[in-house]
Amino acid sequence: MTTPVWQYHEPDHPGADFDAMAEIYDRNMQKYRDVQGEIDEVLNFLDLRPDQSILEIGTGTGEFALAAARHCHKVYAVDLSAGMLRYAEKKAGARGIANVELLPGGFLTYRHEGEPLDGIVSQIALHHLPDFWKQIALLRMAGMLAEGGKLCLRDVVYSFDPAEHEKFLDDIISKAAEKAGPQFANSISEHVKKEYSTMDWIMRGMIERAGFEIQQVKKSHGFFALYLCTKTSKKEF
Ligand SMILES: C[S@@+](CC[C@H](N)C(=O)[O-])C[C@H]1O[C@@H](n2cnc3c(N)ncnc32)[C@H](O)[C@@H]1O
């Protein structure tokens, strides 16, 4: 299938060159995030059965996909970055996990060929798309899910008061520097400057209009949000 000339070209996304940094990314995430806590939070909501299959989009180094594979039949784990996929493949081999299929693809290009999915997870990846294309990505995800299927979407999403953005951003960046050093603080500045994080009210609107009911929103630091959703039959524009 040819890609239309007007379609957003996903590999052009602003931000880090993930291909070149898989190992460093993996190490930094263990340092800066509660990786196991985040995995448990998503797995608790998915409540997977051994016969179920899920998809993760923007899997990165595959930490969530590999953990989820122990609780279900199959995990399709998709990413644009060949370097991230290679690294995730190595980890799957080292951990003896054979039911994760690591596949090249993006939010706008991955085509799911198997049965409708029981769950879709995406973490810290959707902000790589501008808002219109986030909406298209969410509609595509709803289309790949079985009725009643679940969506877990975690991302850098803003819920601070934009009228106070200067103080908020200065504070969050200086706290990041104190806690995790100048390199991490710089990655936050670069994220705010160049990437497409949107506001919580917009994200909630896009999720609902794509045909999901939001069961729970967990926001943290005015800067991150996790949306735990189920597919409904309603779409509205
Ligand atoms: C910040 S990392 C997050 C990785 C992992 N989900 C995590 O939580 O650590 C973002 C990942 O999204 C991938 N990515 C960027 N744009 C994408 C797109 N349009 N479709 C799918 N993956 C994308 C990148 O290659 C990268 O591996």
PDB file of all heavy atoms in Angstrom, residues 10 13 18 25 33 56-60 79-81 84 105-107 123-125 128-129, ligand 1:
ATOM      1  N   GLU A  10       6.470   9.784   9.866  1.00  0.00           N
ATOM      2  CA  GLU A  10       6.800   9.528  11.271  1.00  0.00           C
ATOM      3  C   GLU A  10       8.297   9.575  11.597  1.00  0.00           C
ATOM      4  O   GLU A  10       8.679  10.102  12.639  1.00  0.00           O
ATOM      5  CB  GLU A  10       6.197   8.186  11.707  1.00  0.00           C
ATOM      6  CG  GLU A  10       4.682   8.246  11.752  1.00  0.00           C
ATOM      7  CD  GLU A  10       4.066   6.898  12.067  1.00  0.00           C
ATOM      8  OE1 GLU A  10       4.096   6.022  11.199  1.00  0.00           O
ATOM      9  OE2 GLU A  10       3.556   6.736  13.186  1.00  0.00           O
ATOM     10  N   HIS A  13      10.178  12.754  13.133  1.00  0.00           N
ATOM     11  CA  HIS A  13       9.752  13.362  14.399  1.00  0.00           C
ATOM     12  C   HIS A  13      10.917  14.092  15.087  1.00  0.00           C
ATOM     13  O   HIS A  13      12.066  13.653  15.008  1.00  0.00           O
ATOM     14  CB  HIS A  13       9.146  12.309  15.343  1.00  0.00           C
ATOM     15  CG  HIS A  13      10.124  11.309  15.883  1.00  0.00           C
ATOM     16  ND1 HIS A  13      11.019  11.615  16.880  1.00  0.00           N
ATOM     17  CD2 HIS A  13      10.339  10.021  15.573  1.00  0.00           C
ATOM     18  CE1 HIS A  13      11.742  10.543  17.160  1.00  0.00           C
ATOM     19  NE2 HIS A  13      11.364   9.567  16.376  1.00  0.00           N
ATOM     20  N   PHE A  18      16.687   7.841  18.630  1.00  0.00           N
ATOM     21  CA  PHE A  18      16.583   6.611  19.420  1.00  0.00           C
ATOM     22  C   PHE A  18      17.441   5.479  18.873  1.00  0.00           C
ATOM     23  O   PHE A  18      17.925   4.648  19.619  1.00  0.00           O
ATOM     24  CB  PHE A  18      15.117   6.178  19.531  1.00  0.00           C
ATOM     25  CG  PHE A  18      14.306   7.106  20.384  1.00  0.00           C
ATOM     26  CD1 PHE A  18      13.399   7.987  19.831  1.00  0.00           C
ATOM     27  CD2 PHE A  18      14.476   7.116  21.767  1.00  0.00           C
ATOM     28  CE1 PHE A  18      12.666   8.855  20.618  1.00  0.00           C
ATOM     29  CE2 PHE A  18      13.747   7.971  22.572  1.00  0.00           C
ATOM     30  CZ  PHE A  18      12.840   8.847  21.985  1.00  0.00           C
ATOM     31  N   TYR A  25      19.434   4.669  26.714  1.00  0.00           N
ATOM     32  CA  TYR A  25      18.036   4.947  27.055  1.00  0.00           C
ATOM     33  C   TYR A  25      17.546   3.959  28.107  1.00  0.00           C
ATOM     34  O   TYR A  25      16.958   4.337  29.115  1.00  0.00           O
ATOM     35  CB  TYR A  25      17.154   4.867  25.798  1.00  0.00           C
ATOM     36  CG  TYR A  25      15.704   5.129  26.102  1.00  0.00           C
ATOM     37  CD1 TYR A  25      15.208   6.433  26.129  1.00  0.00           C
ATOM     38  CD2 TYR A  25      14.832   4.091  26.426  1.00  0.00           C
ATOM     39  CE1 TYR A  25      13.887   6.681  26.449  1.00  0.00           C
ATOM     40  CE2 TYR A  25      13.505   4.336  26.752  1.00  0.00           C
ATOM     41  CZ  TYR A  25      13.044   5.630  26.757  1.00  0.00           C
ATOM     42  OH  TYR A  25      11.730   5.884  27.095  1.00  0.00           O
ATOM     43  N   ARG A  33      12.970   6.441  36.208  1.00  0.00           N
ATOM     44  CA  ARG A  33      11.540   6.100  36.309  1.00  0.00           C
ATOM     45  C   ARG A  33      11.335   4.932  37.249  1.00  0.00           C
ATOM     46  O   ARG A  33      12.241   4.149  37.465  1.00  0.00           O
ATOM     47  CB  ARG A  33      11.008   5.697  34.917  1.00  0.00           C
ATOM     48  CG  ARG A  33      10.741   6.886  34.040  1.00  0.00           C
ATOM     49  CD  ARG A  33      10.611   6.496  32.584  1.00  0.00           C
ATOM     50  NE  ARG A  33       9.395   5.789  32.233  1.00  0.00           N
ATOM     51  CZ  ARG A  33       9.140   5.361  30.977  1.00  0.00           C
ATOM     52  NH1 ARG A  33      10.000   5.585  30.009  1.00  0.00           N
ATOM     53  NH2 ARG A  33       8.021   4.727  30.711  1.00  0.00           N
ATOM     54  N   GLU A  56       1.851  -3.265  21.696  1.00  0.00           N
ATOM     55  CA  GLU A  56       2.452  -2.043  22.261  1.00  0.00           C
ATOM     56  C   GLU A  56       3.036  -1.226  21.108  1.00  0.00           C
ATOM     57  O   GLU A  56       3.816  -1.746  20.306  1.00  0.00           O
ATOM     58  CB  GLU A  56       3.551  -2.362  23.284  1.00  0.00           C
ATOM     59  CG  GLU A  56       4.040  -1.056  23.901  1.00  0.00           C
ATOM     60  CD  GLU A  56       5.179  -1.181  24.904  1.00  0.00           C
ATOM     61  OE1 GLU A  56       5.912  -2.177  24.894  1.00  0.00           O
ATOM     62  OE2 GLU A  56       5.336  -0.220  25.698  1.00  0.00           O
ATOM     63  N   ILE A  57       2.675   0.046  21.057  1.00  0.00           N
ATOM     64  CA  ILE A  57       3.204   0.907  19.978  1.00  0.00           C
ATOM     65  C   ILE A  57       4.227   1.864  20.597  1.00  0.00           C
ATOM     66  O   ILE A  57       3.961   2.519  21.599  1.00  0.00           O
ATOM     67  CB  ILE A  57       2.088   1.707  19.280  1.00  0.00           C
ATOM     68  CG1 ILE A  57       0.946   0.777  18.847  1.00  0.00           C
ATOM     69  CG2 ILE A  57       2.660   2.462  18.070  1.00  0.00           C
ATOM     70  CD1 ILE A  57      -0.185   1.465  18.075  1.00  0.00           C
ATOM     71  N   GLY A  58       5.407   1.924  19.965  1.00  0.00           N
ATOM     72  CA  GLY A  58       6.506   2.725  20.523  1.00  0.00           C
ATOM     73  C   GLY A  58       7.123   1.977  21.688  1.00  0.00           C
ATOM     74  O   GLY A  58       7.386   2.546  22.746  1.00  0.00           O
ATOM     75  N   THR A  59       7.394   0.696  21.476  1.00  0.00           N
ATOM     76  CA  THR A  59       7.840  -0.183  22.575  1.00  0.00           C
ATOM     77  C   THR A  59       9.215   0.174  23.105  1.00  0.00           C
ATOM     78  O   THR A  59       9.563  -0.161  24.246  1.00  0.00           O
ATOM     79  CB  THR A  59       7.798  -1.667  22.109  1.00  0.00           C
ATOM     80  OG1 THR A  59       7.961  -2.517  23.233  1.00  0.00           O
ATOM     81  CG2 THR A  59       8.891  -1.973  21.083  1.00  0.00           C
ATOM     82  N   GLY A  60      10.016   0.872  22.290  1.00  0.00           N
ATOM     83  CA  GLY A  60      11.364   1.245  22.743  1.00  0.00           C
ATOM     84  C   GLY A  60      12.200   0.009  23.017  1.00  0.00           C
ATOM     85  O   GLY A  60      12.291  -0.898  22.178  1.00  0.00           O
ATOM     86  N   ASP A  79       7.830  -0.555  16.839  1.00  0.00           N
ATOM     87  CA  ASP A  79       8.571   0.700  17.006  1.00  0.00           C
ATOM     88  C   ASP A  79       9.128   1.128  15.651  1.00  0.00           C
ATOM     89  O   ASP A  79       9.348   0.299  14.769  1.00  0.00           O
ATOM     90  CB  ASP A  79       9.731   0.537  18.008  1.00  0.00           C
ATOM     91  CG  ASP A  79      10.153   1.862  18.629  1.00  0.00           C
ATOM     92  OD1 ASP A  79      10.831   2.660  17.938  1.00  0.00           O
ATOM     93  OD2 ASP A  79       9.783   2.130  19.794  1.00  0.00           O
ATOM     94  N   LEU A  80       9.365   2.437  15.524  1.00  0.00           N
ATOM     95  CA  LEU A  80       9.958   2.960  14.285  1.00  0.00           C
ATOM     96  C   LEU A  80      11.450   2.717  14.239  1.00  0.00           C
ATOM     97  O   LEU A  80      12.044   2.680  13.175  1.00  0.00           O
ATOM     98  CB  LEU A  80       9.793   4.499  14.252  1.00  0.00           C
ATOM     99  CG  LEU A  80       8.467   5.125  13.932  1.00  0.00           C
ATOM    100  CD1 LEU A  80       8.664   6.632  13.889  1.00  0.00           C
ATOM    101  CD2 LEU A  80       7.912   4.612  12.616  1.00  0.00           C
ATOM    102  N   SER A  81      12.064   2.597  15.412  1.00  0.00           N
ATOM    103  CA  SER A  81      13.526   2.590  15.489  1.00  0.00           C
ATOM    104  C   SER A  81      14.093   1.172  15.426  1.00  0.00           C
ATOM    105  O   SER A  81      13.856   0.349  16.323  1.00  0.00           O
ATOM    106  CB  SER A  81      13.963   3.280  16.794  1.00  0.00           C
ATOM    107  OG  SER A  81      15.257   2.870  17.145  1.00  0.00           O
ATOM    108  N   MET A  84      16.249   0.401  18.555  1.00  0.00           N
ATOM    109  CA  MET A  84      15.481   0.032  19.758  1.00  0.00           C
ATOM    110  C   MET A  84      14.982  -1.413  19.615  1.00  0.00           C
ATOM    111  O   MET A  84      15.055  -2.212  20.559  1.00  0.00           O
ATOM    112  CB  MET A  84      14.290   0.977  19.961  1.00  0.00           C
ATOM    113  CG  MET A  84      14.653   2.398  20.356  1.00  0.00           C
ATOM    114  SD  MET A  84      15.484   2.505  21.970  1.00  0.00           S
ATOM    115  CE  MET A  84      14.490   3.724  22.813  1.00  0.00           C
ATOM    116  N   GLY A 105       7.383  -0.406  12.642  1.00  0.00           N
ATOM    117  CA  GLY A 105       6.114   0.241  12.283  1.00  0.00           C
ATOM    118  C   GLY A 105       5.834   1.399  13.206  1.00  0.00           C
ATOM    119  O   GLY A 105       6.494   1.561  14.236  1.00  0.00           O
ATOM    120  N   GLY A 106       4.861   2.204  12.802  1.00  0.00           N
ATOM    121  CA  GLY A 106       4.522   3.381  13.595  1.00  0.00           C
ATOM    122  C   GLY A 106       3.027   3.454  13.851  1.00  0.00           C
ATOM    123  O   GLY A 106       2.258   2.629  13.360  1.00  0.00           O
ATOM    124  N   PHE A 107       2.629   4.486  14.633  1.00  0.00           N
ATOM    125  CA  PHE A 107       1.207   4.702  14.928  1.00  0.00           C
ATOM    126  C   PHE A 107       0.387   4.803  13.640  1.00  0.00           C
ATOM    127  O   PHE A 107      -0.761   4.368  13.594  1.00  0.00           O
ATOM    128  CB  PHE A 107       1.028   6.029  15.679  1.00  0.00           C
ATOM    129  CG  PHE A 107       1.531   6.014  17.090  1.00  0.00           C
ATOM    130  CD1 PHE A 107       2.729   6.644  17.427  1.00  0.00           C
ATOM    131  CD2 PHE A 107       0.811   5.385  18.095  1.00  0.00           C
ATOM    132  CE1 PHE A 107       3.184   6.645  18.738  1.00  0.00           C
ATOM    133  CE2 PHE A 107       1.255   5.385  19.404  1.00  0.00           C
ATOM    134  CZ  PHE A 107       2.451   6.013  19.725  1.00  0.00           C
ATOM    135  N   GLN A 123       3.419   4.059  25.645  1.00  0.00           N
ATOM    136  CA  GLN A 123       3.962   4.846  26.750  1.00  0.00           C
ATOM    137  C   GLN A 123       5.075   5.773  26.247  1.00  0.00           C
ATOM    138  O   GLN A 123       6.033   5.347  25.607  1.00  0.00           O
ATOM    139  CB  GLN A 123       4.527   3.915  27.820  1.00  0.00           C
ATOM    140  CG  GLN A 123       3.489   2.869  28.280  1.00  0.00           C
ATOM    141  CD  GLN A 123       3.851   2.219  29.576  1.00  0.00           C
ATOM    142  OE1 GLN A 123       3.587   2.769  30.659  1.00  0.00           O
ATOM    143  NE2 GLN A 123       4.484   1.071  29.509  1.00  0.00           N
ATOM    144  N   ILE A 124       4.897   7.057  26.547  1.00  0.00           N
ATOM    145  CA  ILE A 124       5.888   8.113  26.252  1.00  0.00           C
ATOM    146  C   ILE A 124       6.273   8.094  24.763  1.00  0.00           C
ATOM    147  O   ILE A 124       7.443   8.242  24.399  1.00  0.00           O
ATOM    148  CB  ILE A 124       7.152   8.010  27.168  1.00  0.00           C
ATOM    149  CG1 ILE A 124       6.805   7.512  28.570  1.00  0.00           C
ATOM    150  CG2 ILE A 124       7.883   9.335  27.268  1.00  0.00           C
ATOM    151  CD1 ILE A 124       6.002   8.441  29.441  1.00  0.00           C
ATOM    152  N   ALA A 125       5.283   7.940  23.909  1.00  0.00           N
ATOM    153  CA  ALA A 125       5.578   7.885  22.471  1.00  0.00           C
ATOM    154  C   ALA A 125       4.614   8.721  21.624  1.00  0.00           C
ATOM    155  O   ALA A 125       5.030   9.279  20.598  1.00  0.00           O
ATOM    156  CB  ALA A 125       5.556   6.426  22.001  1.00  0.00           C
ATOM    157  N   HIS A 128       5.197  12.177  19.895  1.00  0.00           N
ATOM    158  CA  HIS A 128       6.007  12.359  18.690  1.00  0.00           C
ATOM    159  C   HIS A 128       5.161  12.806  17.505  1.00  0.00           C
ATOM    160  O   HIS A 128       5.703  13.210  16.483  1.00  0.00           O
ATOM    161  CB  HIS A 128       6.775  11.073  18.354  1.00  0.00           C
ATOM    162  CG  HIS A 128       7.883  10.792  19.319  1.00  0.00           C
ATOM    163  ND1 HIS A 128       8.971  11.621  19.471  1.00  0.00           N
ATOM    164  CD2 HIS A 128       8.068   9.790  20.211  1.00  0.00           C
ATOM    165  CE1 HIS A 128       9.778  11.135  20.396  1.00  0.00           C
ATOM    166  NE2 HIS A 128       9.246  10.023  20.872  1.00  0.00           N
ATOM    167  N   LEU A 129       3.834  12.716  17.656  1.00  0.00           N
ATOM    168  CA  LEU A 129       2.950  13.146  16.564  1.00  0.00           C
ATOM    169  C   LEU A 129       2.278  14.476  16.914  1.00  0.00           C
ATOM    170  O   LEU A 129       1.824  14.668  18.046  1.00  0.00           O
ATOM    171  CB  LEU A 129       1.836  12.111  16.343  1.00  0.00           C
ATOM    172  CG  LEU A 129       2.244  10.702  15.913  1.00  0.00           C
ATOM    173  CD1 LEU A 129       1.001   9.828  15.747  1.00  0.00           C
ATOM    174  CD2 LEU A 129       3.035  10.733  14.620  1.00  0.00           C
TER     175      LEU A 129
HETATM  176  C1  LIG B   1      10.660   7.928  24.722  1.00  0.00           C
HETATM  177  S1  LIG B   1      10.695   6.370  23.915  1.00  0.00           S
HETATM  178  C2  LIG B   1       9.575   5.411  24.906  1.00  0.00           C
HETATM  179  C3  LIG B   1       9.889   3.954  24.863  1.00  0.00           C
HETATM  180  C4  LIG B   1       9.063   3.076  25.815  1.00  0.00           C
HETATM  181  N1  LIG B   1       7.671   3.017  25.445  1.00  0.00           N
HETATM  182  C5  LIG B   1       9.194   3.574  27.230  1.00  0.00           C
HETATM  183  O1  LIG B   1       8.163   3.857  27.876  1.00  0.00           O
HETATM  184  O2  LIG B   1      10.316   3.666  27.708  1.00  0.00           O
HETATM  185  C6  LIG B   1       9.737   6.702  22.471  1.00  0.00           C
HETATM  186  C7  LIG B   1       9.734   5.539  21.487  1.00  0.00           C
HETATM  187  O3  LIG B   1       8.737   5.791  20.500  1.00  0.00           O
HETATM  188  C8  LIG B   1       9.245   5.503  19.223  1.00  0.00           C
HETATM  189  N2  LIG B   1       8.491   6.306  18.254  1.00  0.00           N
HETATM  190  C9  LIG B   1       8.639   7.599  17.918  1.00  0.00           C
HETATM  191  N3  LIG B   1       7.712   7.963  17.022  1.00  0.00           N
HETATM  192  C10 LIG B   1       6.953   6.856  16.790  1.00  0.00           C
HETATM  193  C11 LIG B   1       5.844   6.587  15.947  1.00  0.00           C
HETATM  194  N4  LIG B   1       5.308   7.534  15.174  1.00  0.00           N
HETATM  195  N5  LIG B   1       5.329   5.341  15.938  1.00  0.00           N
HETATM  196  C12 LIG B   1       5.853   4.360  16.744  1.00  0.00           C
HETATM  197  N6  LIG B   1       6.920   4.556  17.550  1.00  0.00           N
HETATM  198  C13 LIG B   1       7.449   5.799  17.570  1.00  0.00           C
HETATM  199  C14 LIG B   1      10.721   5.838  19.307  1.00  0.00           C
HETATM  200  O4  LIG B   1      11.489   5.171  18.310  1.00  0.00           O
HETATM  201  C15 LIG B   1      11.061   5.382  20.720  1.00  0.00           C
HETATM  202  O5  LIG B   1      11.472   4.038  20.764  1.00  0.00           O
END
